[in-house]
Amino acid sequence: FGTLFPTSSFVPILDLMFEHRLYLPLVGVCLLFPLLLDRGSQWIRIRWAYDIKLRYCCVALLLLLTAGTVLRNQIWRDEIRLWSDVIAKSPKKARGYNALSFAYYKRGQYEPALEAARLGLRVVSEKSLGFYETIGNLNLRLGRYDDAIAALKESVKKAEDKRRQSNAYNNIGVAYLYQWHNLRDQQARVSEAQFRLEKERILSSAAEAFRKGFELEEDTFSAFDSYINVLHDDGRDEEVVTAISAQFGSDDYRTCYAVAKIADWQGRFDKADEYYEKAGRIRRDQKMIYFNHALTLNALKKTDQAIDKYLVALRLDPLFTEANFNIALLYREKKKVDQALDHFTE
């Protein structure tokens, strides 16, 4: 009890029952156990005059414990079997359903993953936000875009704060983008009128979702970036600058970034360079500003400056895969093989 006291008393903890907290406290119990067996055998001998052979009791006990260990290891050998066992023994906990769903997901078994998430949603309804997000993402994987969007819209209702709501709207926008890419792939199979109608519906819905995302949480820059991309796909470049300038002002970093992106799309790289530089001076912690600036500088054949911008983006996010890949290509062009290999490896 003394060794349990620091972690299992009045200090609040997330997981009250956790195996590793018993490692040290069990030392006393393990040392006490053979003494208890000895005392027990003495009591039986005195009370009933029956001599128990402790060595046989110990052998039987070890065999039982060995069998139990082997059987338990069969469960631990397989992640899906393990989390299914967790759910069977603790069906009211959300973690088991989430972990089982993720285990199926990692194997590419999206239907069972979806079923595990749906079961968790039914059983542990108070944790519905995470389940709706999972159901939405899995439906995207399965190409069920309407079901994905419906689930993600439910996650907006369950979000407790602005940051989670912003993320939920961003996810909805991404789901509409999946739907838009699918529509483009299917363009040859639908009429021109139907394509235009669906394109307008999907892109307008995506833009609205992304707009709500970055308005709720200013730091959701990915939603803002996607908003610009969607309006560009919809042929509304000039509307982008007008709307963003009216909302944030002409000297805001978001307005400068929007002007730069549109200039880039139009092939006006000098103007894009100027406005990316201005956006970067105003807001120094947004990796996408430096990443897109590097693309523009590369188009202007300013390779060394492009590398510098990629390096800034990577300092902000060392796991930025696209930046690592692009900078590796530039190093390869400059015959700097070691640096190229380092970034390809990353």
Side-chain angles (χ1 to χ4, degrees):
F1 287 115
T3 49
L4 274 173
F5 183 77
T7 60
S8 304
S9 53
F10 56 86
V11 179
I13 52 177
L14 177 63
D15 297 298
L16 186 63
M17 298 170 65
F18 216 129
E19 176 197 7
H20 65 241
R21 293 205 180 93
L22 291 173
Y23 289 170
L24 182 60
L26 271 175
V27 171
V29 176
C30 292
L31 291 174
L32 187 62
F33 187 71
L35 299 177
L36 290 176
L37 277 180
D38 186 52
R39 288 294 179 91
S41 67
Q42 289 180 25
W43 184 79
I44 292 172
R45 192 181 302 118
I46 294 169
R47 181 70 181 269
W48 287 295
Y50 184 79
D51 188 16
I52 292 181
K53 301 297 184 183
L54 281 182
R55 64 173 62 89
Y56 299 138
C57 293
C58 291
V59 169
L61 184 60
L62 283 172
L63 288 173
L64 287 172
L65 291 174
T66 300
T69 300
V70 170
L71 291 173
R72 188 64 183 159
N73 283 347
Q74 294 305 308
I75 294 174
W76 277 83
R77 285 178 64 180
D78 182 81
E79 194 174 8
I80 288 173
R81 200 181 300 154
L82 173 63
W83 289 112
S84 298
D85 183 69
V86 169
I87 290 171
K89 292 173 178 172
S90 189
K92 298 296 183 181
K93 299 285 187 179
R95 186 179 301 179
Y97 298 99
N98 283 322
L100 179 61
S101 180
F102 187 53
Y104 279 122
Y105 171 83
K106 287 187 289 185
R107 295 185 181 184
Q109 297 176 314
Y110 301 132
E111 287 287 4
L114 187 58
E115 185 55 37
R118 285 172 174 161
L119 180 60
L121 179 62
R122 290 196 297 270
V123 176
V124 198
S125 57
E126 67 273 14
K127 299 286 186 179
S128 58
L129 174 60
F131 287 122
Y132 278 124
E133 290 173 343
T134 300
I135 290 168
N137 289 322
L138 287 167
N139 275 311
L140 283 182
R141 289 281 182 176
L142 290 164
R144 299 169 186 166
Y145 306 117
D146 290 334
D147 290 342
I149 291 165
L152 293 171
K153 284 182 177 179
E154 287 296 321
S155 73
V156 173
K157 301 175 186 176
K158 303 298 180 181
E160 314 88 27
D161 53 51
K162 285 186 176 181
R163 179 170 291 278
R164 295 300 294 268
Q165 287 178 340
S166 174
N167 287 336
Y169 277 119
N170 185 63
N171 290 340
I172 292 170
V174 170
Y176 278 117
L177 288 184
Y178 270 79
Q179 198 171 41
W180 161 233
H181 295 152
N182 180 66
L183 178 65
R184 284 193 306 188
D185 292 341
Q186 303 294 323
Q187 184 173 0
R189 303 177 188 178
V190 298
S191 67
E192 186 64 29
Q194 184 181 358
F195 178 80
R196 284 199 306 270
L197 192 65
E198 278 295 286
K199 175 185 176 181
E200 175 62 27
R201 179 188 69 81
I202 293 170
L203 292 180
S204 296
S205 300
E208 179 68 10
F210 286 128
R211 184 185 62 78
K212 288 180 178 178
F214 73 76
E215 284 181 351
L216 275 168
E217 190 68 38
E218 181 180 336
D219 287 337
T220 312
F221 195 76
S222 59
F224 176 74
D225 188 44
S226 297
Y227 175 73
I228 298 172
N229 294 338
V230 167
L231 291 185
H232 170 70
D233 283 349
D234 206 18
R236 296 155 65 184
D237 285 356
E238 297 309 318
E239 181 183 329
V240 174
V241 178
T242 303
I244 293 173
S245 180
Q247 185 171 358
F248 300 112
S250 59
D251 291 328
D252 187 87
Y253 75 96
R254 285 159 291 199
T255 304
C256 296
Y257 181 77
V259 170
K261 286 203 79 168
I262 291 167
D264 209 342
W265 286 322
Q266 294 172 345
R268 300 158 66 190
F269 300 123
D270 288 324
K271 182 177 182 180
D273 179 20
E274 175 190 350
Y275 276 88
Y276 278 133
E277 189 66 40
K278 189 175 180 180
R281 286 197 300 268
I282 299 169
R283 188 69 187 265
R284 299 179 182 275
D285 61 346
Q286 290 294 350
K287 65 178 183 180
M288 291 307 299
I289 295 175
Y290 297 102
F291 178 80
N292 283 302
H293 195 180
L295 292 174
T296 297
L297 290 167
N298 190 41
L300 289 167
K301 307 300 182 185
K302 298 179 179 180
T303 306
D304 290 333
Q305 293 180 44
I307 289 173
D308 289 340
K309 296 300 180 184
Y310 281 132
L311 288 173
V312 176
L314 286 169
R315 280 197 291 274
L316 292 170
D317 180 8
L319 303 180
F320 196 170
T321 306
E322 294 84 352
N324 270 309
F325 182 77
N326 286 2
I327 197 173
L329 294 177
L330 295 183
Y331 277 130
R332 188 175 66 178
E333 287 178 12
K334 293 175 69 66
K335 310 300 182 185
K336 295 184 177 181
V337 178
D338 290 339
Q339 291 95 322
L341 282 173
D342 286 343
H343 286 282
F344 278 133
T345 302
E346 286 297 315

